[in-house]
Amino acid sequence: MFHLPTEFSNRDQLIAHVKTLAPWAEGAASPYIGGQQAATQRLQNIDPVAYGKTRNFGNGRVSLLSPYVHHGVFSLNHVRNFALSRLENPQDGVKFIQELGWRDFWQRVAAHIPHGLWEDLEPYKTGFDRDTYTDTLPADILQASTGVACIDHFITTLLDTGYVHNHARMYLASYIVHFRRVTWQAGARWFLCHLLDGDEASNNLSWQWIASTFSNKPYIFNLENVAKYFGGLVDTTPENNRPLDASYENLTKRLFPNLVGEDD
Amino acid sequence: MTDTVIWLHEKALGRTHPVMQDAHKATKIIHIWDDGYYRAQGYSLKRLVFIYETLCALKIDIIHGDSLAVFRALSPQKIIVPYTVASGITRLYHQLAGEFDCRLIKDVPFAQIAPEDKFRRFFKYWQKAKATAFLRDAGAGDVA
C-alpha cells in the first residue's frame, strides 16, 4: 500500500506532485489555498452584519468559506456558532445564517431525490421542451470568448481561481441556459469541474432553480442588474454587452417567445 | 487485520466531525487518493490541489489506490464514514458496505428538522429551520 507524501518544501512542490498524480487534470492551481489555517483565517474575518447589507454586490463582504465548508473543514454548525459569537442579536446576522441554511436545504432536498441529482425535477417553465436545449457547452463559453464582456470576465474568474461570487454564478447559469439554450446539466458539470466549493447538491439544484426545473419561473438578468451590483468591477458598457442590454420585458419576449401572452 | 478505520473522504476533511469521537478507538484515520474516483469526478487541477492541501493540513495517512482494494488490504473489522449525499462517495460506501461492517455518522445538524421532512421550496424549509437555526448547536440539549 503506497502512502502519499504530506510534507512539501513549498506550494509549487505540492502542485507539481498533484500534477504527477493527475496528469489529466485541467488548468492550474487556484490562488485560494486549502487547509485548516486558511479556513480559520477566513472564519476569523467574517462580518455577518456587513454580509447581510452587501452580499449581492461583487465587492461585498462575502466570507469565501464555501470551499472549506464543502470539504468539511468546518461544518455549517461550526460556522453558525462562530457567527453567533460575533452577533449581539442573532437576528442581526439573519442573511448570513440564512445563507448557511440554503446549503442545508439543498443537502436535505438531495437526500430525498430517489433518481439522483442529474434529472430534471420539474418541466422547464420557459415554453421550451428539454429537447430544445443542447447538451454541449459551446466552445466560446469554455474559452471565455462569448463576446459578452461581463460574462467573459466571470468565466475567466471561474477558470483562473475556482471561485465566483454567487450573484455572478447566477448570471453565468442564466446566460448559459436561457440566452444560449444549453441544458443545466452541461453547465452544472462544468461548474463542478472548476468550483473549489462545487457541491453536487447545492450546485445542481441551484442550476435547476435558474433553469426553472426546480422553481416557479426561469431566472434572467439584464445589463442594468450587472451594472448595479458589479459596476466598476467588470465591463458593463452596452457596446460590449449587447445581448444583455435590454429591459426585462424585452428580454422575456426574446428569450421565451412561447410564453408571450401568458403574463398578467 | 485492522480493528477500526475512519475513512475521511473528500467531503469530510476536518477534525471537528463527530466521526472523530471514535478516533481513540481507531487504529487508522485515512483518506484514499483514488485516481478512478477523482477522474470520474472530472475535477480540474485547482480542485485537486485544494483537496491535497487540505489533506496535508489534516496530517492523516493518504493512501494511493483503488478504494475497495485498499480496504480489502486493510481488512478492517469496522469502517466509520462521515455521512454525505454526494453520489460518488455514496456509491463507494455501498460497495464497501457489501463487504465490510460500515457505519455512517452524521454531523451535528444545522437545524433541528426531522430527516423525513421533505421540502420543495426554500421558504417551506426556512419556516421549520428558523426555530433552531439561530441557536448554538441548533439548540441541542436545550428544551425544544
Side-chain angles (χ1 to χ4, degrees), chain A residues 93-122:
Chain A
V94 61
K95 289 301 179 186
F96 186 88
I97 291 174
Q98 205 171 51
E99 191 61 28
L100 300 178
W102 270 101
R103 180 180 159 86
D104 187 50
F105 166 67
W106 295 131
Q107 301 291 308
R108 289 175 187 270
V109 171
H112 285 293
I113 300 176
H115 47 270
L117 283 164
W118 292 96
E119 301 295 321
D120 297 349
L121 289 174
E122 300 164 12

mmCIF file of all heavy atoms in Angstrom, chain A residues 93-122:
data_model
loop_
_atom_site.group_PDB
_atom_site.id
_atom_site.type_symbol
_atom_site.label_atom_id
_atom_site.label_comp_id
_atom_site.label_asym_id
_atom_site.label_seq_id
_atom_site.Cartn_x
_atom_site.Cartn_y
_atom_site.Cartn_z
ATOM 1 N N GLY A 93 -27.717 38.845 12.087
ATOM 2 C CA GLY A 93 -26.993 38.054 11.084
ATOM 3 C C GLY A 93 -27.908 37.152 10.291
ATOM 4 O O GLY A 93 -27.460 36.121 9.769
ATOM 5 N N VAL A 94 -29.195 37.566 10.168
ATOM 6 C CA VAL A 94 -30.179 36.666 9.557
ATOM 7 C C VAL A 94 -29.787 36.261 8.141
ATOM 8 O O VAL A 94 -29.929 35.089 7.777
ATOM 9 C CB VAL A 94 -31.596 37.296 9.593
ATOM 10 C CG1 VAL A 94 -31.658 38.601 8.815
ATOM 11 C CG2 VAL A 94 -32.624 36.325 9.040
ATOM 12 N N LYS A 95 -29.259 37.181 7.358
ATOM 13 C CA LYS A 95 -28.931 36.831 5.961
ATOM 14 C C LYS A 95 -27.765 35.861 5.905
ATOM 15 O O LYS A 95 -27.736 34.952 5.085
ATOM 16 C CB LYS A 95 -28.615 38.099 5.153
ATOM 17 C CG LYS A 95 -29.837 38.962 4.884
ATOM 18 C CD LYS A 95 -30.908 38.200 4.121
ATOM 19 C CE LYS A 95 -32.138 39.039 3.868
ATOM 20 N NZ LYS A 95 -33.224 38.242 3.241
ATOM 21 N N PHE A 96 -26.776 36.048 6.789
ATOM 22 C CA PHE A 96 -25.627 35.148 6.819
ATOM 23 C C PHE A 96 -26.069 33.752 7.231
ATOM 24 O O PHE A 96 -25.729 32.751 6.581
ATOM 25 C CB PHE A 96 -24.573 35.691 7.793
ATOM 26 C CG PHE A 96 -23.302 34.904 7.791
ATOM 27 C CD1 PHE A 96 -22.279 35.200 6.903
ATOM 28 C CD2 PHE A 96 -23.118 33.856 8.690
ATOM 29 C CE1 PHE A 96 -21.101 34.466 6.899
ATOM 30 C CE2 PHE A 96 -21.949 33.113 8.695
ATOM 31 C CZ PHE A 96 -20.938 33.422 7.792
ATOM 32 N N ILE A 97 -26.858 33.682 8.298
ATOM 33 C CA ILE A 97 -27.309 32.380 8.792
ATOM 34 C C ILE A 97 -28.275 31.740 7.801
ATOM 35 O O ILE A 97 -28.265 30.525 7.585
ATOM 36 C CB ILE A 97 -27.907 32.528 10.197
ATOM 37 C CG1 ILE A 97 -26.761 32.858 11.157
ATOM 38 C CG2 ILE A 97 -28.660 31.280 10.632
ATOM 39 C CD1 ILE A 97 -27.169 33.189 12.562
ATOM 40 N N GLN A 98 -29.086 32.566 7.158
ATOM 41 C CA GLN A 98 -29.999 32.027 6.150
ATOM 42 C C GLN A 98 -29.229 31.448 4.963
ATOM 43 O O GLN A 98 -29.634 30.432 4.395
ATOM 44 C CB GLN A 98 -30.928 33.145 5.665
ATOM 45 C CG GLN A 98 -32.245 32.665 5.121
ATOM 46 C CD GLN A 98 -33.190 33.825 4.864
ATOM 47 O OE1 GLN A 98 -32.830 34.805 4.212
ATOM 48 N NE2 GLN A 98 -34.400 33.714 5.371
ATOM 49 N N GLU A 99 -28.091 32.065 4.631
ATOM 50 C CA GLU A 99 -27.274 31.551 3.528
ATOM 51 C C GLU A 99 -26.709 30.173 3.885
ATOM 52 O O GLU A 99 -26.638 29.283 3.040
ATOM 53 C CB GLU A 99 -26.137 32.518 3.198
ATOM 54 C CG GLU A 99 -25.405 32.202 1.900
ATOM 55 C CD GLU A 99 -26.307 32.254 0.669
ATOM 56 O OE1 GLU A 99 -27.322 33.011 0.687
ATOM 57 O OE2 GLU A 99 -26.017 31.535 -0.303
ATOM 58 N N LEU A 100 -26.319 29.997 5.156
ATOM 59 C CA LEU A 100 -25.916 28.662 5.607
ATOM 60 C C LEU A 100 -27.092 27.698 5.453
ATOM 61 O O LEU A 100 -26.927 26.537 5.088
ATOM 62 C CB LEU A 100 -25.454 28.704 7.072
ATOM 63 C CG LEU A 100 -24.255 29.600 7.402
ATOM 64 C CD1 LEU A 100 -23.968 29.551 8.900
ATOM 65 C CD2 LEU A 100 -23.025 29.201 6.614
ATOM 66 N N GLY A 101 -28.289 28.212 5.765
ATOM 67 C CA GLY A 101 -29.490 27.397 5.635
ATOM 68 C C GLY A 101 -29.723 26.918 4.214
ATOM 69 O O GLY A 101 -30.225 25.811 4.002
ATOM 70 N N TRP A 102 -29.379 27.759 3.250
ATOM 71 C CA TRP A 102 -29.545 27.335 1.849
ATOM 72 C C TRP A 102 -28.746 26.067 1.598
ATOM 73 O O TRP A 102 -29.216 25.144 0.951
ATOM 74 C CB TRP A 102 -29.095 28.432 0.879
ATOM 75 C CG TRP A 102 -30.182 29.384 0.493
ATOM 76 C CD1 TRP A 102 -30.400 30.633 0.990
ATOM 77 C CD2 TRP A 102 -31.226 29.161 -0.480
ATOM 78 N NE1 TRP A 102 -31.507 31.207 0.378
ATOM 79 C CE2 TRP A 102 -32.030 30.326 -0.515
ATOM 80 C CE3 TRP A 102 -31.542 28.103 -1.326
ATOM 81 C CZ2 TRP A 102 -33.132 30.460 -1.378
ATOM 82 C CZ3 TRP A 102 -32.637 28.226 -2.178
ATOM 83 C CH2 TRP A 102 -33.417 29.398 -2.190
ATOM 84 N N ARG A 103 -27.519 25.984 2.096
ATOM 85 C CA ARG A 103 -26.734 24.775 1.877
ATOM 86 C C ARG A 103 -27.415 23.582 2.549
ATOM 87 O O ARG A 103 -27.496 22.499 1.968
ATOM 88 C CB ARG A 103 -25.299 24.948 2.398
ATOM 89 C CG ARG A 103 -24.481 23.700 2.168
ATOM 90 C CD ARG A 103 -23.041 23.812 2.658
ATOM 91 N NE ARG A 103 -22.486 22.491 2.869
ATOM 92 C CZ ARG A 103 -21.911 21.747 1.928
ATOM 93 N NH1 ARG A 103 -21.809 22.212 0.700
ATOM 94 N NH2 ARG A 103 -21.456 20.548 2.197
ATOM 95 N N ASP A 104 -27.893 23.781 3.769
ATOM 96 C CA ASP A 104 -28.589 22.696 4.468
ATOM 97 C C ASP A 104 -29.826 22.266 3.686
ATOM 98 O O ASP A 104 -30.121 21.077 3.556
ATOM 99 C CB ASP A 104 -28.981 23.178 5.875
ATOM 100 C CG ASP A 104 -29.546 22.058 6.731
ATOM 101 O OD1 ASP A 104 -28.909 20.985 6.805
ATOM 102 O OD2 ASP A 104 -30.614 22.257 7.332
ATOM 103 N N PHE A 105 -30.552 23.258 3.175
ATOM 104 C CA PHE A 105 -31.746 22.976 2.372
ATOM 105 C C PHE A 105 -31.416 22.109 1.179
ATOM 106 O O PHE A 105 -32.056 21.083 0.940
ATOM 107 C CB PHE A 105 -32.370 24.297 1.914
ATOM 108 C CG PHE A 105 -33.409 24.165 0.818
ATOM 109 C CD1 PHE A 105 -34.628 23.538 1.065
ATOM 110 C CD2 PHE A 105 -33.181 24.681 -0.453
ATOM 111 C CE1 PHE A 105 -35.592 23.429 0.065
ATOM 112 C CE2 PHE A 105 -34.131 24.563 -1.452
ATOM 113 C CZ PHE A 105 -35.341 23.941 -1.197
ATOM 114 N N TRP A 106 -30.374 22.478 0.419
ATOM 115 C CA TRP A 106 -30.018 21.699 -0.775
ATOM 116 C C TRP A 106 -29.640 20.260 -0.386
ATOM 117 O O TRP A 106 -30.005 19.301 -1.078
ATOM 118 C CB TRP A 106 -28.841 22.332 -1.527
ATOM 119 C CG TRP A 106 -29.056 23.683 -2.139
ATOM 120 C CD1 TRP A 106 -28.232 24.770 -2.007
ATOM 121 C CD2 TRP A 106 -30.136 24.120 -2.971
ATOM 122 N NE1 TRP A 106 -28.739 25.839 -2.711
ATOM 123 C CE2 TRP A 106 -29.901 25.462 -3.322
ATOM 124 C CE3 TRP A 106 -31.284 23.494 -3.481
ATOM 125 C CZ2 TRP A 106 -30.743 26.204 -4.142
ATOM 126 C CZ3 TRP A 106 -32.131 24.237 -4.297
ATOM 127 C CH2 TRP A 106 -31.861 25.565 -4.617
ATOM 128 N N GLN A 107 -28.895 20.117 0.732
ATOM 129 C CA GLN A 107 -28.493 18.766 1.152
ATOM 130 C C GLN A 107 -29.727 17.931 1.501
ATOM 131 O O GLN A 107 -29.800 16.739 1.178
ATOM 132 C CB GLN A 107 -27.577 18.836 2.384
ATOM 133 C CG GLN A 107 -26.290 19.630 2.196
ATOM 134 C CD GLN A 107 -25.319 18.949 1.264
ATOM 135 O OE1 GLN A 107 -25.002 17.789 1.435
ATOM 136 N NE2 GLN A 107 -24.851 19.674 0.249
ATOM 137 N N ARG A 108 -30.690 18.542 2.159
ATOM 138 C CA ARG A 108 -31.901 17.812 2.548
ATOM 139 C C ARG A 108 -32.733 17.442 1.322
ATOM 140 O O ARG A 108 -33.296 16.344 1.262
ATOM 141 C CB ARG A 108 -32.732 18.640 3.530
ATOM 142 C CG ARG A 108 -32.099 18.756 4.901
ATOM 143 C CD ARG A 108 -32.891 19.683 5.819
ATOM 144 N NE ARG A 108 -32.197 19.914 7.065
ATOM 145 C CZ ARG A 108 -32.341 19.169 8.155
ATOM 146 N NH1 ARG A 108 -33.172 18.137 8.141
ATOM 147 N NH2 ARG A 108 -31.660 19.445 9.265
ATOM 148 N N VAL A 109 -32.843 18.337 0.369
ATOM 149 C CA VAL A 109 -33.563 18.011 -0.871
ATOM 150 C C VAL A 109 -32.867 16.843 -1.565
ATOM 151 O O VAL A 109 -33.510 15.879 -1.987
ATOM 152 C CB VAL A 109 -33.630 19.231 -1.812
ATOM 153 C CG1 VAL A 109 -34.185 18.819 -3.176
ATOM 154 C CG2 VAL A 109 -34.475 20.338 -1.211
ATOM 155 N N ALA A 110 -31.543 16.926 -1.650
ATOM 156 C CA ALA A 110 -30.774 15.888 -2.335
ATOM 157 C C ALA A 110 -30.982 14.523 -1.687
ATOM 158 O O ALA A 110 -31.069 13.502 -2.374
ATOM 159 C CB ALA A 110 -29.288 16.246 -2.332
ATOM 160 N N ALA A 111 -31.091 14.508 -0.359
ATOM 161 C CA ALA A 111 -31.247 13.240 0.351
ATOM 162 C C ALA A 111 -32.560 12.545 -0.011
ATOM 163 O O ALA A 111 -32.687 11.330 0.117
ATOM 164 C CB ALA A 111 -31.171 13.474 1.859
ATOM 165 N N HIS A 112 -33.524 13.316 -0.485
ATOM 166 C CA HIS A 112 -34.838 12.744 -0.779
ATOM 167 C C HIS A 112 -35.089 12.527 -2.272
ATOM 168 O O HIS A 112 -36.205 12.161 -2.649
ATOM 169 C CB HIS A 112 -35.934 13.664 -0.214
ATOM 170 C CG HIS A 112 -36.081 13.569 1.274
ATOM 171 N ND1 HIS A 112 -36.544 12.441 1.904
ATOM 172 C CD2 HIS A 112 -35.798 14.463 2.252
ATOM 173 C CE1 HIS A 112 -36.559 12.645 3.208
ATOM 174 N NE2 HIS A 112 -36.106 13.859 3.451
ATOM 175 N N ILE A 113 -34.100 12.775 -3.096
ATOM 176 C CA ILE A 113 -34.331 12.600 -4.538
ATOM 177 C C ILE A 113 -33.938 11.184 -4.912
ATOM 178 O O ILE A 113 -32.765 10.843 -4.969
ATOM 179 C CB ILE A 113 -33.506 13.603 -5.360
ATOM 180 C CG1 ILE A 113 -33.882 15.019 -5.003
ATOM 181 C CG2 ILE A 113 -33.728 13.373 -6.837
ATOM 182 C CD1 ILE A 113 -33.050 16.060 -5.703
ATOM 183 N N PRO A 114 -34.912 10.347 -5.184
ATOM 184 C CA PRO A 114 -34.583 8.936 -5.437
ATOM 185 C C PRO A 114 -33.840 8.722 -6.757
ATOM 186 O O PRO A 114 -33.062 7.802 -6.875
ATOM 187 C CB PRO A 114 -35.963 8.268 -5.467
ATOM 188 C CG PRO A 114 -36.922 9.351 -5.812
ATOM 189 C CD PRO A 114 -36.344 10.624 -5.239
ATOM 190 N N HIS A 115 -34.057 9.608 -7.731
ATOM 191 C CA HIS A 115 -33.452 9.378 -9.037
ATOM 192 C C HIS A 115 -32.181 10.181 -9.249
ATOM 193 O O HIS A 115 -31.677 10.274 -10.340
ATOM 194 C CB HIS A 115 -34.455 9.690 -10.148
ATOM 195 C CG HIS A 115 -35.170 10.996 -9.963
ATOM 196 N ND1 HIS A 115 -36.350 11.074 -9.282
ATOM 197 C CD2 HIS A 115 -34.871 12.248 -10.348
ATOM 198 C CE1 HIS A 115 -36.757 12.339 -9.253
ATOM 199 N NE2 HIS A 115 -35.878 13.073 -9.893
ATOM 200 N N GLY A 116 -31.691 10.759 -8.181
ATOM 201 C CA GLY A 116 -30.402 11.411 -8.298
ATOM 202 C C GLY A 116 -30.483 12.862 -8.682
ATOM 203 O O GLY A 116 -31.541 13.424 -8.937
ATOM 204 N N LEU A 117 -29.343 13.484 -8.739
ATOM 205 C CA LEU A 117 -29.243 14.924 -8.872
ATOM 206 C C LEU A 117 -28.983 15.398 -10.294
ATOM 207 O O LEU A 117 -28.654 16.554 -10.489
ATOM 208 C CB LEU A 117 -28.123 15.434 -7.964
ATOM 209 C CG LEU A 117 -28.490 15.500 -6.492
ATOM 210 C CD1 LEU A 117 -27.249 15.620 -5.635
ATOM 211 C CD2 LEU A 117 -29.420 16.666 -6.209
ATOM 212 N N TRP A 118 -29.133 14.513 -11.272
ATOM 213 C CA TRP A 118 -28.859 14.932 -12.640
ATOM 214 C C TRP A 118 -30.097 14.910 -13.532
ATOM 215 O O TRP A 118 -30.003 15.150 -14.730
ATOM 216 C CB TRP A 118 -27.739 14.066 -13.243
ATOM 217 C CG TRP A 118 -26.431 14.341 -12.573
ATOM 218 C CD1 TRP A 118 -25.872 13.641 -11.552
ATOM 219 C CD2 TRP A 118 -25.555 15.448 -12.836
ATOM 220 N NE1 TRP A 118 -24.685 14.228 -11.168
ATOM 221 C CE2 TRP A 118 -24.459 15.324 -11.938
ATOM 222 C CE3 TRP A 118 -25.570 16.508 -13.739
ATOM 223 C CZ2 TRP A 118 -23.402 16.241 -11.932
ATOM 224 C CZ3 TRP A 118 -24.516 17.414 -13.736
ATOM 225 C CH2 TRP A 118 -23.448 17.274 -12.835
ATOM 226 N N GLU A 119 -31.269 14.632 -12.929
ATOM 227 C CA GLU A 119 -32.505 14.601 -13.701
ATOM 228 C C GLU A 119 -33.302 15.871 -13.444
ATOM 229 O O GLU A 119 -33.293 16.412 -12.328
ATOM 230 C CB GLU A 119 -33.356 13.390 -13.293
ATOM 231 C CG GLU A 119 -32.658 12.045 -13.486
ATOM 232 C CD GLU A 119 -32.390 11.778 -14.942
ATOM 233 O OE1 GLU A 119 -33.261 12.100 -15.774
ATOM 234 O OE2 GLU A 119 -31.291 11.279 -15.262
ATOM 235 N N ASP A 120 -34.034 16.331 -14.444
ATOM 236 C CA ASP A 120 -34.928 17.472 -14.257
ATOM 237 C C ASP A 120 -35.982 17.104 -13.218
ATOM 238 O O ASP A 120 -36.669 16.100 -13.356
ATOM 239 C CB ASP A 120 -35.654 17.820 -15.562
ATOM 240 C CG ASP A 120 -34.725 18.265 -16.672
ATOM 241 O OD1 ASP A 120 -33.531 18.510 -16.391
ATOM 242 O OD2 ASP A 120 -35.174 18.356 -17.825
ATOM 243 N N LEU A 121 -36.117 17.929 -12.174
ATOM 244 C CA LEU A 121 -37.106 17.633 -11.145
ATOM 245 C C LEU A 121 -38.503 18.033 -11.595
ATOM 246 O O LEU A 121 -39.490 17.435 -11.163
ATOM 247 C CB LEU A 121 -36.750 18.388 -9.862
ATOM 248 C CG LEU A 121 -35.514 17.845 -9.139
ATOM 249 C CD1 LEU A 121 -35.148 18.743 -7.968
ATOM 250 C CD2 LEU A 121 -35.759 16.438 -8.644
ATOM 251 N N GLU A 122 -38.576 19.049 -12.412
ATOM 252 C CA GLU A 122 -39.864 19.541 -12.924
ATOM 253 C C GLU A 122 -39.646 19.921 -14.388
ATOM 254 O O GLU A 122 -38.508 20.064 -14.823
ATOM 255 C CB GLU A 122 -40.319 20.778 -12.121
ATOM 256 C CG GLU A 122 -40.500 20.523 -10.646
ATOM 257 C CD GLU A 122 -40.564 21.815 -9.820
ATOM 258 O OE1 GLU A 122 -40.686 22.914 -10.410
ATOM 259 O OE2 GLU A 122 -40.476 21.721 -8.582
#
